[in-house]
């Protein structure tokens, strides 16, 4: 038993140790059965080491003390006793005792002792052999090579994590390929920001330690630049009529020092855009959206430009949604062209679609809230709820299954919809407007 135990501990991992004692009862012929088990991993390993090495020791497992003593010529085991090798040791008092080399049991004329150990295949958690990080402005690609097959779990942190759960909760985990290489892409990072990339390995429910993960961690800085998104809410406006939803400026990261954001039309500051200038506040967090309205006084086609200045202005780049930097102003008595759907994009959390028309609409003669299929044609439109935010913007709340809408899917105005230009004056008949 001990010889095979010496080999087994190197090939396998102990799973449970079971000790059973069957003794004749002191009252008649009724059998007395005592059983005790140990499944604590560290205690099991210590017990197997002591038995295979034939040395004295005491191991605590589940509040029971397992005592091993080298009695001549073999080794003995007892539970919650002091020394099974003592000549006066009483087996009646400690029935869970194994003395395989003793010819008789003190206190018993007969008895059976059974010690069994169940093993499982030894799980070897792979080591990280090498780790390389390739940053972009909003993500980091981590290429990890392991010593054997397994899973790589990674996370990006502003400072080193205090436990592996913090890494696990970021949900960036990938199995290695046949070459034991894994590519993990960590998304949704801030540009020009320093991160600590921490990865740990796992295999068959076993994981490497936090200490090992921190030894291989990498310091990475994402690339330039942070984006400022500029969205023109419509491309046509009526002369002399105020539109409260002209331009939206959005960004995710506010610097510690103020940014000056300016809106210029045909190289002229303002030009009836209010406000035409914003100064950021470092106390702002999350998604910051700044909005301007317009009251145009002249007709024509106009170009607009958004600029950013300040101590950290160089860290930002302006991106115009759909590349639109031009709008038109028509006479108030001129029939506007039919509104066109110019943009359909997911919100930041992916829970809704933002639909933009190029000019104010009559809202398709619907209420503020309506079933999306009334005006829109896309997957699961009949299960989704839409809401007019203003006369040019619709939010579509995707209540259907996750497969309903995905980037690149087909979306259009429903054939039955009657979306016309917004009538610019209450006393003007606009029924002749085309759709």
């Amino acid at each position: 038993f001990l010889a095979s135990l010496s080999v087994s501990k190197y090939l396998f991992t102990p799973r449970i140790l079971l000790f059973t004692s069957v003794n004749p009862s002191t009252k008649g012929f009724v059998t007395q059965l005592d059983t005790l088990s140990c499944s604590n991993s560290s205690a099991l390993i210590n017990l197997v080491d002591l038995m295979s090495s034939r040395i004295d020791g005491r191991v605590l497992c589940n509040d029971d003390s397992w005592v091993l003593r080298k009695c001549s010529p073999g080794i003995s085991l007892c539970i919650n006793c002091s020394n099974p090798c003592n000549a006066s040791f009483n087996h009646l008092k400690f029935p869970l005792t194994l003395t395989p080399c003793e010819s008789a049991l003190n206190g018993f004329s007969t008895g059976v002792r059974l010690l069994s150990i169940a093993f499982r295949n030894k799980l070897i958690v792979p080591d990280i052999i090498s780790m390389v990080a390739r940053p972009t402005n909003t993500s980091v690609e981590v290429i990890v090579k392991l010593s054997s097959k397994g899973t790589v779990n990674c996370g990006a942190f502003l400072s080193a994590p205090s436990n592996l759960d913090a890494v696990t909760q970021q949900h960036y985990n990938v199995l290695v390929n046949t070459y034991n290489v894994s590519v993990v892409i960590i998304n949704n990072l801030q540009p020009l920001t320093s991160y600590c990339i921490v990865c740990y390995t796992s295999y068959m429910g076993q994981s490497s330690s936090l200490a090992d993960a921190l030894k291989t961690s990498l310091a990475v800085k994402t690339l330039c630049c942070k984006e400022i998104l500029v969205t023109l809410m419509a491309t046509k406006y009526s002369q002399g009529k105020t539109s409260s939803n002209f331009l939206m400026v959005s960004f995710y990261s506010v610097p510690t020092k103020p940014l000056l954001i300016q809106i210029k039309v045909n190289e002229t500051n303002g030009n009836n855009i209010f406000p035409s200038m914003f100064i950021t506040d470092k106390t702002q967090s999350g998604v910051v959206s700044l909005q301007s309205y317009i009251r145009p006084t002249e007709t024509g086609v106009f170009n607009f430009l958004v600029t950013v200045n300040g101590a950290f202005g160089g860290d930002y780049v302006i991106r115009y949604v759909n590349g639109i930097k031009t709008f038109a102003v028509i006479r108030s008595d001129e029939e506007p062209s039919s509104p066109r759907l110019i943009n359909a994009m997911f919100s930041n959390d992916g829970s809704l679609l933002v639909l933009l028309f190029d000019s104010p609409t009559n809202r398709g003669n619907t209420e503020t809230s309506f079933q999306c299929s009334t005006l829109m044609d896309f997957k699961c439109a009949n299960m989704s709820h839409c809401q007019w935010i203003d006369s040019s913007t619709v939010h579509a709340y995707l209540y259907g299954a996750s497969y309903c809408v995905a980037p690149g899917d087909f979306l259009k105005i429903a054939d039955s919809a009657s979306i016309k230009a917004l009538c610019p004056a209450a006393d003007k008949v606009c029924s002749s407007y085309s759709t």
Side-chain angles (χ1 to χ4, degrees), residues 59 103 172 178 182 186 206 329 332 343 349 399:
V59 177
S103 58
Y172 293 110
T178 53
S182 179
I186 304 175
Q206 303 293 313
V329 178
S332 59
N343 196 21
D349 61 4
Y399 290 158

Side-chain angles (χ1 to χ4, degrees), residues 30 38 60 65 73 78 94 99 105-106 128 141 147 158 184 201 230 232-233 262 288 303 345 358 398 425:
V30 179
C38 176
L60 188 65
S65 180
C78 69
F94 300 100
T99 53
L105 301 177
N106 183 18
I128 294 178
E141 180 186 71
S147 59
L158 298 178
V184 183
T201 64
V230 177
L232 183 66
M233 306 309 291
Q262 290 179 288
V288 178
N303 297 317
M345 58 186 176
D358 67 347
L398 307 175

Side-chain angles (χ1 to χ4, degrees), residues 223-241:
L223 305 181
C224 185
C225 292
K226 302 176 183 180
E227 281 189 340
I228 295 179
L229 296 181
V230 177
T231 305
L232 183 66
M233 306 309 291
T235 58
K236 292 185 179 68
Y237 298 91
S238 293
Q239 181 183 22
K241 183 176 177 60

Side-chain angles (χ1 to χ4, degrees), residues 116-417:
S116 60
I117 305 176
F119 289 85
R120 66 183 176 204
N121 290 331
K122 186 179 284 293
L123 300 179
I124 301 177
V125 179
D127 295 323
I128 294 178
I129 303 301
S130 64
M131 196 162 82
V132 177
R134 297 175 177 174
T136 68
N137 62 331
T138 58
S139 67
V140 173
E141 180 186 71
V142 188
I143 304 172
V144 186
K145 182 173 179 57
L146 304 186
S147 59
S148 58
K149 64 181 180 180
T151 300
V152 177
N153 308 264
C154 296
F157 304 89
L158 298 178
S159 58
S162 58
N163 54 67
L164 291 181
D165 286 342
V167 181
T168 305
Q169 288 167 6
Q170 293 198 19
H171 303 294
Y172 293 110
N173 50 79
V174 180
L175 287 168
V176 295
N177 59 22
T178 53
Y179 301 101
N180 295 330
V181 174
S182 179
V183 178
V184 183
I185 299 177
I186 304 175
N187 296 310
N188 302 317
L189 304 181
Q190 291 297 323
L192 292 172
T193 303
S194 296
Y195 289 96
C196 175
I197 306 298
V198 178
C199 298
Y200 74 90
T201 64
S202 58
Y203 180 67
M204 298 290 287
Q206 303 293 313
S207 300
S208 58
S209 67
L210 176 64
D212 289 337
L214 294 178
K215 287 179 184 177
T216 57
S217 63
L218 298 175
V220 177
K221 186 174 183 179
T222 49
L223 305 181
C224 185
C225 292
K226 302 176 183 180
E227 281 189 340
I228 295 179
L229 296 181
V230 177
T231 305
L232 183 66
M233 306 309 291
T235 58
K236 292 185 179 68
Y237 298 91
S238 293
Q239 181 183 22
K241 183 176 177 60
T242 300
S243 178
S244 60
N245 199 4
F246 168 63
L247 194 73
M248 181 175 292
V249 178
S250 306
F251 50 97
Y252 294 91
S253 179
V254 179
T256 55
K257 293 186 178 181
L259 288 178
L260 175 62
I261 299 173
Q262 290 179 288
I263 304 170
K264 298 179 180 180
V265 176
N266 286 2
E267 302 301 325
T268 303
N269 286 326
N271 196 18
N272 297 318
I273 296 174
F274 308 97
S276 60
M277 181 185 301
F278 300 99
I279 298 178
T280 63
D281 182 352
K282 67 179 181 180
T283 61
Q284 294 171 301
S285 60
V287 180
V288 178
S289 295
L290 310 172
Q291 197 161 330
S292 291
Y293 67 93
I294 187 172
R295 184 177 177 83
T297 57
E298 298 179 5
T299 60
V301 177
F302 299 90
N303 297 317
F304 72 93
L305 178 70
V306 176
T307 61
V308 57
N309 295 285
F312 294 97
D315 294 349
Y316 289 82
V317 61
I318 303 295
R319 183 165 73 86
Y320 298 88
V321 175
N322 290 336
I324 299 175
K325 296 188 284 185
T326 302
F327 66 94
V329 178
I330 61 175
R331 298 193 316 270
S332 59
D333 60 348
E334 180 182 345
E335 178 181 341
S337 57
S338 300
R340 293 185 305 111
L341 184 63
I342 59 171
N343 196 21
M345 58 186 176
F346 281 99
S347 62
N348 297 318
D349 61 4
S351 64
L352 60 88
L353 283 173
V354 180
L355 310 176
L356 295 178
F357 289 86
D358 67 347
S359 58
T361 73
N362 67 342
R363 304 193 179 196
N365 295 319
T366 62
E367 301 292 334
T368 300
S369 297
F370 60 96
Q371 184 175 316
C372 290
S373 58
T374 305
L375 298 180
M376 305 297 167
D377 183 6
F378 60 87
K379 289 181 182 179
C380 300
N382 60 334
M383 293 192 296
S384 300
H385 168 74
C386 282
Q387 181 177 358
W388 287 100
I389 303 304
D390 55 53
S391 57
S392 303
T393 311
V394 176
H395 283 182
Y397 297 91
L398 307 175
Y399 290 158
S402 59
Y403 60 79
C404 281
V405 180
D409 281 355
F410 176 80
L411 184 149
K412 69 170 187 173
I413 297 175
D415 293 338
S416 59

